Amino acid sequence: MALFRRNRSVTPLRSGEKAPNFQLSSAQGGVFRLDMRTAHGPVVLAFVDAGGEGDGLLQLLKDHQTELQRAAVAERFRAREESRASGEAYLRIGPTVTTTVAAVVRAKSMEEVRELRDRLQLPYYVLWDETGWVSGMYGVPEGKTAVALVQSDGTLRWFPAESLGAEQILRAIFPPREEGQGSGA
């Protein structure tokens, strides 16, 4: 089955393109499906190798996970209030709106993935990209670290992993408001 063959493509998807759907085994148990998570809000994907240079990136996402989760909720509430002010219809939002953080880890075994999760005490999804297939679909070669945001509509946005700050991702989820915008202004 093609799903289990290594995808050697390293042509990266571009920001603005549709993110390919995937499912991977999670170190927490069970299976992570991208489309199931984007149904509840944006998903931040960090692509790393087990034992590679991605520890700092994973720690950054860990340190800012709560802010990232709250940003999706704030953005949905802001959109709802703006639609009310303009008289446009807006779907009701439920309590499950959140930003999901997931590390896509290329490793030889699930044990390596669990060791990484436990060593860094990562509170978010840590996924095993056993054959590198998902990384290849996204165009992230072995040995490289990358960060992407997949919006609820499936749109992809890349961030420079070398100079990444959590505020860049937060601004993408919850863009700064220009003066004069918003309800009551």
Side-chain angles (χ1 to χ4, degrees):
M1 179 181 235
L3 177 67
F4 298 105
R5 279 187 260 143
R6 181 175 291 270
N7 182 342
R8 299 208 185 272
S9 167
V10 289
T11 304
L13 296 170
R14 291 184 301 247
S15 288
E17 290 185 323
K18 189 81 165 173
N21 192 31
F22 65 85
Q23 73 178 38
L24 289 173
S25 297
S26 170
Q28 290 79 353
V31 174
F32 175 99
R33 282 186 41 194
L34 181 63
D35 61 345
M36 296 298 286
R37 298 311 315 163
T38 57
H40 299 286
V43 176
V44 176
L45 298 174
F47 294 88
V48 299
D49 291 325
E53 301 295 319
D55 287 8
L57 170 62
L58 298 177
Q59 186 65 45
L60 173 84
L61 293 173
K62 174 184 169 183
D63 293 345
H64 295 282
Q65 182 182 10
T66 301
E67 294 166 77
L68 292 167
Q69 290 171 332
R70 289 182 181 155
V73 174
E75 176 59 19
R76 289 283 177 101
F77 278 110
R78 182 179 88 169
R80 183 183 69 184
E81 292 306 311
E82 288 176 359
S83 68
R84 280 184 182 168
S86 69
E88 295 176 18
Y90 185 79
L91 296 175
R92 299 177 117 197
I93 62 170
T96 57
V97 177
T98 187
T99 303
T100 300
V101 177
V104 178
V105 181
R106 293 173 298 256
K108 293 178 183 169
S109 69
M110 179 58 90
E111 187 57 35
E112 281 185 87
V113 176
R114 287 187 183 114
E115 286 173 10
L116 174 67
R117 179 202 61 195
D118 294 345
R119 180 172 51 82
L120 297 176
Q121 298 178 347
L122 300 176
Y124 46 78
Y125 290 98
V126 182
L127 312 174
W128 183 26
D129 191 4
E130 179 180 5
T131 63
W133 182 72
V134 171
S135 299
M137 272 195 325
Y138 279 76
V140 181
E142 284 184 49
K144 295 293 181 182
T145 301
V147 180
L149 174 67
V150 180
Q151 295 286 7
S152 295
D153 66 1
T155 306
L156 181 69
R157 176 161 179 198
W158 290 103
F159 295 94
E162 313 80 45
S163 61
L164 181 69
E167 59 281 346
Q168 292 171 298
I169 299 171
L170 288 166
R171 278 195 307 269
I173 298 169
F174 190 36
R177 301 178 85 164
E178 294 179 22
E179 289 197 32
Q181 278 187 330
S183 55

Short mmCIF file of all heavy atoms in Angstrom, two decimals, residues 58-110:
data_model
loop_
_atom_site.label_atom_id
_atom_site.label_comp_id
_atom_site.label_asym_id
_atom_site.label_seq_id
_atom_site.Cartn_x
_atom_site.Cartn_y
_atom_site.Cartn_z
N LEU A 58 10.35 22.27 19.99
CA LEU A 58 9.33 21.57 20.76
C LEU A 58 9.11 22.23 22.12
O LEU A 58 7.98 22.33 22.60
CB LEU A 58 9.70 20.10 20.91
CG LEU A 58 9.82 19.31 19.59
CD1 LEU A 58 10.27 17.89 19.86
CD2 LEU A 58 8.51 19.34 18.82
N GLN A 59 10.19 22.70 22.73
CA GLN A 59 10.09 23.39 24.02
C GLN A 59 9.35 24.72 23.86
O GLN A 59 8.52 25.08 24.68
CB GLN A 59 11.48 23.62 24.61
CG GLN A 59 11.46 24.21 26.01
CD GLN A 59 10.85 23.29 27.03
OE1 GLN A 59 11.13 22.10 27.07
NE2 GLN A 59 9.98 23.83 27.89
N LEU A 60 9.65 25.47 22.79
CA LEU A 60 8.95 26.73 22.52
C LEU A 60 7.45 26.51 22.41
O LEU A 60 6.66 27.23 23.02
CB LEU A 60 9.47 27.36 21.22
CG LEU A 60 8.71 28.60 20.75
CD1 LEU A 60 9.24 29.83 21.47
CD2 LEU A 60 8.82 28.76 19.26
N LEU A 61 7.05 25.48 21.66
CA LEU A 61 5.63 25.18 21.53
C LEU A 61 5.02 24.75 22.86
O LEU A 61 3.88 25.10 23.17
CB LEU A 61 5.41 24.12 20.45
CG LEU A 61 5.76 24.58 19.03
CD1 LEU A 61 5.68 23.41 18.07
CD2 LEU A 61 4.89 25.73 18.58
N LYS A 62 5.78 24.01 23.64
CA LYS A 62 5.31 23.61 24.97
C LYS A 62 5.08 24.84 25.86
O LYS A 62 4.05 24.97 26.51
CB LYS A 62 6.33 22.67 25.62
CG LYS A 62 6.02 22.31 27.05
CD LYS A 62 7.14 21.47 27.65
CE LYS A 62 6.99 21.31 29.13
NZ LYS A 62 8.11 20.54 29.71
N ASP A 63 6.04 25.75 25.83
CA ASP A 63 5.96 26.95 26.67
C ASP A 63 4.77 27.84 26.31
O ASP A 63 4.29 28.59 27.15
CB ASP A 63 7.25 27.76 26.58
CG ASP A 63 8.44 27.04 27.20
OD1 ASP A 63 8.24 26.05 27.93
OD2 ASP A 63 9.58 27.46 26.91
N HIS A 64 4.33 27.79 25.06
CA HIS A 64 3.27 28.68 24.59
C HIS A 64 1.99 27.95 24.21
O HIS A 64 1.11 28.55 23.59
CB HIS A 64 3.78 29.51 23.41
CG HIS A 64 4.89 30.44 23.80
ND1 HIS A 64 4.66 31.62 24.46
CD2 HIS A 64 6.22 30.32 23.66
CE1 HIS A 64 5.82 32.21 24.69
NE2 HIS A 64 6.78 31.44 24.23
N GLN A 65 1.85 26.70 24.60
CA GLN A 65 0.69 25.92 24.20
C GLN A 65 -0.62 26.55 24.67
O GLN A 65 -1.58 26.64 23.91
CB GLN A 65 0.79 24.49 24.72
CG GLN A 65 -0.40 23.65 24.28
CD GLN A 65 -0.37 22.24 24.81
OE1 GLN A 65 0.42 21.90 25.66
NE2 GLN A 65 -1.26 21.42 24.29
N THR A 66 -0.67 27.02 25.90
CA THR A 66 -1.90 27.61 26.42
C THR A 66 -2.29 28.86 25.62
O THR A 66 -3.45 29.04 25.26
CB THR A 66 -1.75 27.96 27.91
OG1 THR A 66 -1.44 26.75 28.61
CG2 THR A 66 -3.01 28.57 28.48
N GLU A 67 -1.31 29.71 25.30
CA GLU A 67 -1.60 30.90 24.49
C GLU A 67 -2.12 30.52 23.11
O GLU A 67 -3.04 31.15 22.59
CB GLU A 67 -0.33 31.74 24.31
CG GLU A 67 0.22 32.35 25.56
CD GLU A 67 1.62 32.86 25.31
OE1 GLU A 67 1.75 33.93 24.69
OE2 GLU A 67 2.58 32.17 25.71
N LEU A 68 -1.52 29.50 22.52
CA LEU A 68 -1.96 29.05 21.20
C LEU A 68 -3.39 28.52 21.25
O LEU A 68 -4.20 28.81 20.37
CB LEU A 68 -1.01 27.97 20.67
CG LEU A 68 0.40 28.44 20.33
CD1 LEU A 68 1.33 27.25 20.12
CD2 LEU A 68 0.40 29.34 19.12
N GLN A 69 -3.72 27.78 22.28
CA GLN A 69 -5.07 27.25 22.42
C GLN A 69 -6.08 28.38 22.60
O GLN A 69 -7.14 28.38 21.99
CB GLN A 69 -5.15 26.29 23.60
CG GLN A 69 -4.41 25.00 23.34
CD GLN A 69 -4.30 24.13 24.57
OE1 GLN A 69 -4.29 24.61 25.69
NE2 GLN A 69 -4.20 22.83 24.35
N ARG A 70 -5.74 29.35 23.40
CA ARG A 70 -6.66 30.47 23.65
C ARG A 70 -6.83 31.35 22.41
O ARG A 70 -7.87 31.96 22.22
CB ARG A 70 -6.16 31.31 24.81
CG ARG A 70 -6.31 30.60 26.13
CD ARG A 70 -5.86 31.47 27.26
NE ARG A 70 -6.00 30.75 28.51
CZ ARG A 70 -5.30 31.01 29.58
NH1 ARG A 70 -4.42 31.98 29.58
NH2 ARG A 70 -5.49 30.31 30.68
N ALA A 71 -5.81 31.45 21.58
CA ALA A 71 -5.89 32.30 20.39
C ALA A 71 -7.00 31.86 19.46
O ALA A 71 -7.70 32.68 18.88
CB ALA A 71 -4.55 32.33 19.66
N ALA A 72 -7.18 30.56 19.29
CA ALA A 72 -8.24 30.07 18.41
C ALA A 72 -9.61 30.43 18.96
O ALA A 72 -10.50 30.85 18.23
CB ALA A 72 -8.13 28.56 18.23
N VAL A 73 -9.78 30.30 20.26
CA VAL A 73 -11.05 30.64 20.88
C VAL A 73 -11.31 32.14 20.72
O VAL A 73 -12.40 32.56 20.32
CB VAL A 73 -11.05 30.25 22.38
CG1 VAL A 73 -12.31 30.75 23.07
CG2 VAL A 73 -10.91 28.75 22.52
N ALA A 74 -10.29 32.96 20.96
CA ALA A 74 -10.44 34.41 20.84
C ALA A 74 -10.79 34.80 19.41
O ALA A 74 -11.63 35.68 19.19
CB ALA A 74 -9.16 35.11 21.29
N GLU A 75 -10.16 34.16 18.43
CA GLU A 75 -10.44 34.48 17.04
C GLU A 75 -11.88 34.13 16.68
O GLU A 75 -12.57 34.89 16.01
CB GLU A 75 -9.47 33.75 16.11
CG GLU A 75 -9.74 33.95 14.64
CD GLU A 75 -9.70 35.40 14.17
OE1 GLU A 75 -9.12 36.25 14.87
OE2 GLU A 75 -10.28 35.69 13.12
N ARG A 76 -12.37 32.99 17.12
CA ARG A 76 -13.75 32.61 16.82
C ARG A 76 -14.74 33.58 17.47
O ARG A 76 -15.72 33.98 16.86
CB ARG A 76 -14.03 31.19 17.31
CG ARG A 76 -13.35 30.13 16.51
CD ARG A 76 -14.09 29.91 15.19
NE ARG A 76 -13.41 28.94 14.38
CZ ARG A 76 -13.78 27.67 14.26
NH1 ARG A 76 -14.81 27.22 14.91
NH2 ARG A 76 -13.09 26.87 13.48
N PHE A 77 -14.48 33.97 18.72
CA PHE A 77 -15.37 34.92 19.37
C PHE A 77 -15.33 36.27 18.68
O PHE A 77 -16.36 36.92 18.51
CB PHE A 77 -15.03 35.06 20.87
CG PHE A 77 -15.61 33.96 21.70
CD1 PHE A 77 -14.80 33.01 22.27
CD2 PHE A 77 -16.97 33.88 21.92
CE1 PHE A 77 -15.33 31.98 23.03
CE2 PHE A 77 -17.53 32.86 22.68
CZ PHE A 77 -16.69 31.91 23.24
N ARG A 78 -14.15 36.70 18.26
CA ARG A 78 -14.03 37.97 17.54
C ARG A 78 -14.82 37.92 16.24
O ARG A 78 -15.55 38.85 15.91
CB ARG A 78 -12.56 38.29 17.26
CG ARG A 78 -12.38 39.63 16.56
CD ARG A 78 -10.94 39.93 16.33
NE ARG A 78 -10.56 39.34 15.05
CZ ARG A 78 -9.43 39.57 14.45
NH1 ARG A 78 -8.53 40.36 15.01
NH2 ARG A 78 -9.15 39.03 13.29
N ALA A 79 -14.69 36.84 15.48
CA ALA A 79 -15.43 36.69 14.23
C ALA A 79 -16.94 36.70 14.48
O ALA A 79 -17.70 37.30 13.72
CB ALA A 79 -15.00 35.41 13.52
N ARG A 80 -17.36 36.05 15.55
CA ARG A 80 -18.79 36.02 15.87
C ARG A 80 -19.30 37.43 16.19
O ARG A 80 -20.34 37.84 15.70
CB ARG A 80 -19.05 35.09 17.05
CG ARG A 80 -20.55 34.98 17.37
CD ARG A 80 -20.80 34.13 18.56
NE ARG A 80 -20.31 34.84 19.74
CZ ARG A 80 -20.32 34.35 20.95
NH1 ARG A 80 -20.74 33.13 21.17
NH2 ARG A 80 -19.88 35.05 21.97
N GLU A 81 -18.54 38.16 16.98
CA GLU A 81 -18.96 39.51 17.35
C GLU A 81 -18.98 40.44 16.14
O GLU A 81 -19.89 41.26 15.99
CB GLU A 81 -18.06 40.07 18.46
CG GLU A 81 -18.22 39.36 19.78
CD GLU A 81 -19.67 39.31 20.26
OE1 GLU A 81 -20.35 40.36 20.26
OE2 GLU A 81 -20.14 38.21 20.61
N GLU A 82 -18.00 40.31 15.26
CA GLU A 82 -17.98 41.13 14.05
C GLU A 82 -19.15 40.80 13.15
O GLU A 82 -19.74 41.70 12.53
CB GLU A 82 -16.65 40.97 13.31
CG GLU A 82 -15.50 41.64 14.03
CD GLU A 82 -14.15 41.42 13.37
OE1 GLU A 82 -14.07 40.72 12.34
OE2 GLU A 82 -13.16 41.95 13.90
N SER A 83 -19.52 39.52 13.06
CA SER A 83 -20.66 39.16 12.21
C SER A 83 -21.96 39.66 12.82
O SER A 83 -22.86 40.09 12.11
CB SER A 83 -20.71 37.64 11.99
OG SER A 83 -21.03 36.97 13.17
N ARG A 84 -22.07 39.65 14.12
CA ARG A 84 -23.27 40.19 14.78
C ARG A 84 -23.39 41.68 14.50
O ARG A 84 -24.47 42.19 14.21
CB ARG A 84 -23.20 39.97 16.29
CG ARG A 84 -23.58 38.61 16.73
CD ARG A 84 -23.58 38.56 18.24
NE ARG A 84 -23.92 37.22 18.68
CZ ARG A 84 -23.77 36.79 19.90
NH1 ARG A 84 -23.27 37.60 20.83
NH2 ARG A 84 -24.09 35.57 20.24
N ALA A 85 -22.27 42.39 14.62
CA ALA A 85 -22.29 43.84 14.40
C ALA A 85 -22.67 44.18 12.96
O ALA A 85 -23.33 45.18 12.71
CB ALA A 85 -20.92 44.43 14.74
N SER A 86 -22.27 43.35 12.02
CA SER A 86 -22.57 43.62 10.61
C SER A 86 -23.91 43.02 10.18
O SER A 86 -24.36 43.26 9.06
CB SER A 86 -21.46 43.07 9.73
OG SER A 86 -21.47 41.64 9.75
N GLY A 87 -24.53 42.22 11.03
CA GLY A 87 -25.81 41.61 10.70
C GLY A 87 -25.69 40.34 9.88
O GLY A 87 -26.69 39.78 9.44
N GLU A 88 -24.45 39.86 9.66
CA GLU A 88 -24.25 38.62 8.90
C GLU A 88 -24.47 37.41 9.80
O GLU A 88 -24.25 37.47 11.01
CB GLU A 88 -22.83 38.56 8.35
CG GLU A 88 -22.52 39.63 7.32
CD GLU A 88 -21.08 39.59 6.87
OE1 GLU A 88 -20.41 38.55 7.07
OE2 GLU A 88 -20.63 40.60 6.34
N ALA A 89 -24.88 36.32 9.19
CA ALA A 89 -25.07 35.07 9.93
C ALA A 89 -23.72 34.49 10.30
O ALA A 89 -22.76 34.60 9.56
CB ALA A 89 -25.86 34.07 9.09
N TYR A 90 -23.65 33.89 11.46
CA TYR A 90 -22.42 33.22 11.90
C TYR A 90 -22.82 31.95 12.62
O TYR A 90 -23.75 31.97 13.44
CB TYR A 90 -21.61 34.13 12.82
CG TYR A 90 -20.28 33.53 13.22
CD1 TYR A 90 -19.20 33.55 12.35
CD2 TYR A 90 -20.12 32.90 14.44
CE1 TYR A 90 -17.99 32.99 12.68
CE2 TYR A 90 -18.90 32.34 14.79
CZ TYR A 90 -17.84 32.39 13.91
OH TYR A 90 -16.64 31.83 14.24
N LEU A 91 -22.13 30.87 12.33
CA LEU A 91 -22.44 29.62 13.01
C LEU A 91 -22.08 29.72 14.48
O LEU A 91 -21.07 30.32 14.85
CB LEU A 91 -21.64 28.47 12.37
CG LEU A 91 -21.99 28.17 10.92
CD1 LEU A 91 -21.05 27.10 10.39
CD2 LEU A 91 -23.43 27.71 10.79
N ARG A 92 -22.87 29.11 15.31
CA ARG A 92 -22.57 29.07 16.74
C ARG A 92 -21.31 28.26 16.96
O ARG A 92 -21.04 27.31 16.25
CB ARG A 92 -23.72 28.44 17.50
CG ARG A 92 -25.00 29.19 17.36
CD ARG A 92 -26.07 28.46 18.06
NE ARG A 92 -26.52 29.35 19.12
CZ ARG A 92 -27.23 28.96 20.15
NH1 ARG A 92 -27.54 27.71 20.30
NH2 ARG A 92 -27.61 29.83 21.05
N ILE A 93 -20.56 28.64 17.95
CA ILE A 93 -19.35 27.88 18.24
C ILE A 93 -19.55 27.10 19.52
O ILE A 93 -20.27 27.52 20.42
CB ILE A 93 -18.11 28.78 18.37
CG1 ILE A 93 -18.26 29.78 19.50
CG2 ILE A 93 -17.81 29.49 17.07
CD1 ILE A 93 -17.00 30.52 19.82
N GLY A 94 -18.94 25.95 19.57
CA GLY A 94 -19.05 25.11 20.74
C GLY A 94 -17.84 25.26 21.64
O GLY A 94 -16.91 25.99 21.34
N PRO A 95 -17.81 24.54 22.74
CA PRO A 95 -16.72 24.66 23.70
C PRO A 95 -15.44 23.97 23.24
O PRO A 95 -14.43 24.07 23.91
CB PRO A 95 -17.28 23.97 24.95
CG PRO A 95 -18.26 23.00 24.40
CD PRO A 95 -18.85 23.63 23.17
N THR A 96 -15.46 23.30 22.08
CA THR A 96 -14.28 22.55 21.67
C THR A 96 -13.37 23.32 20.72
O THR A 96 -12.47 22.75 20.14
CB THR A 96 -14.69 21.22 20.99
OG1 THR A 96 -15.53 21.53 19.88
CG2 THR A 96 -15.40 20.31 21.96
N VAL A 97 -13.59 24.61 20.53
CA VAL A 97 -12.73 25.39 19.65
C VAL A 97 -11.38 25.56 20.33
O VAL A 97 -11.29 26.06 21.45
CB VAL A 97 -13.35 26.77 19.36
CG1 VAL A 97 -12.41 27.60 18.52
CG2 VAL A 97 -14.68 26.61 18.68
N THR A 98 -10.33 25.14 19.66
CA THR A 98 -9.00 25.23 20.23
C THR A 98 -7.95 25.10 19.14
O THR A 98 -8.26 24.68 18.03
CB THR A 98 -8.78 24.12 21.30
OG1 THR A 98 -7.53 24.35 21.94
CG2 THR A 98 -8.82 22.74 20.69
N THR A 99 -6.75 25.48 19.45
CA THR A 99 -5.62 25.22 18.57
C THR A 99 -4.96 23.95 19.05
O THR A 99 -4.67 23.80 20.23
CB THR A 99 -4.58 26.37 18.62
OG1 THR A 99 -5.24 27.58 18.28
CG2 THR A 99 -3.43 26.11 17.68
N THR A 100 -4.73 23.03 18.14
CA THR A 100 -4.05 21.78 18.47
C THR A 100 -2.58 21.93 18.09
O THR A 100 -2.26 22.47 17.03
CB THR A 100 -4.67 20.62 17.67
OG1 THR A 100 -6.05 20.51 18.03
CG2 THR A 100 -3.96 19.30 17.97
N VAL A 101 -1.71 21.46 18.96
CA VAL A 101 -0.28 21.43 18.67
C VAL A 101 0.11 19.97 18.52
O VAL A 101 -0.29 19.12 19.33
CB VAL A 101 0.54 22.08 19.80
CG1 VAL A 101 2.03 21.98 19.53
CG2 VAL A 101 0.12 23.54 20.00
N ALA A 102 0.88 19.66 17.47
CA ALA A 102 1.31 18.28 17.24
C ALA A 102 2.73 18.28 16.68
O ALA A 102 3.04 19.03 15.76
CB ALA A 102 0.37 17.57 16.26
N ALA A 103 3.56 17.43 17.24
CA ALA A 103 4.91 17.21 16.72
C ALA A 103 4.88 15.97 15.84
O ALA A 103 4.44 14.91 16.28
CB ALA A 103 5.89 17.01 17.87
N VAL A 104 5.31 16.12 14.59
CA VAL A 104 5.42 15.00 13.66
C VAL A 104 6.88 14.57 13.70
O VAL A 104 7.76 15.28 13.23
CB VAL A 104 5.00 15.43 12.23
CG1 VAL A 104 5.17 14.28 11.26
CG2 VAL A 104 3.57 15.95 12.23
N VAL A 105 7.14 13.42 14.32
CA VAL A 105 8.50 12.98 14.61
C VAL A 105 8.90 11.83 13.70
O VAL A 105 8.27 10.77 13.70
CB VAL A 105 8.63 12.55 16.09
CG1 VAL A 105 10.06 12.13 16.40
CG2 VAL A 105 8.16 13.66 17.02
N ARG A 106 9.98 12.04 12.96
CA ARG A 106 10.57 10.96 12.17
C ARG A 106 11.49 10.17 13.10
O ARG A 106 12.41 10.73 13.68
CB ARG A 106 11.35 11.53 10.98
CG ARG A 106 10.46 12.22 9.95
CD ARG A 106 11.26 12.91 8.89
NE ARG A 106 12.09 13.97 9.44
CZ ARG A 106 11.81 15.28 9.33
NH1 ARG A 106 10.76 15.68 8.67
NH2 ARG A 106 12.60 16.18 9.87
N ALA A 107 11.19 8.88 13.26
CA ALA A 107 11.94 8.04 14.17
C ALA A 107 11.87 6.59 13.71
O ALA A 107 10.97 6.22 12.97
CB ALA A 107 11.38 8.16 15.59
N LYS A 108 12.83 5.78 14.19
CA LYS A 108 12.85 4.36 13.82
C LYS A 108 11.82 3.55 14.58
O LYS A 108 11.38 2.50 14.11
CB LYS A 108 14.25 3.79 14.06
CG LYS A 108 15.28 4.36 13.12
CD LYS A 108 16.66 3.83 13.41
CE LYS A 108 17.66 4.49 12.48
NZ LYS A 108 19.02 4.23 12.87
N SER A 109 11.45 4.02 15.79
CA SER A 109 10.51 3.25 16.59
C SER A 109 9.62 4.18 17.40
O SER A 109 9.98 5.33 17.68
CB SER A 109 11.26 2.32 17.55
OG SER A 109 11.91 3.08 18.55
N MET A 110 8.47 3.66 17.79
CA MET A 110 7.57 4.41 18.67
C MET A 110 8.24 4.65 20.01
O MET A 110 8.00 5.67 20.66
CB MET A 110 6.24 3.67 18.85
CG MET A 110 5.27 4.39 19.78
SD MET A 110 4.82 6.06 19.28
CE MET A 110 3.40 5.71 18.26
#
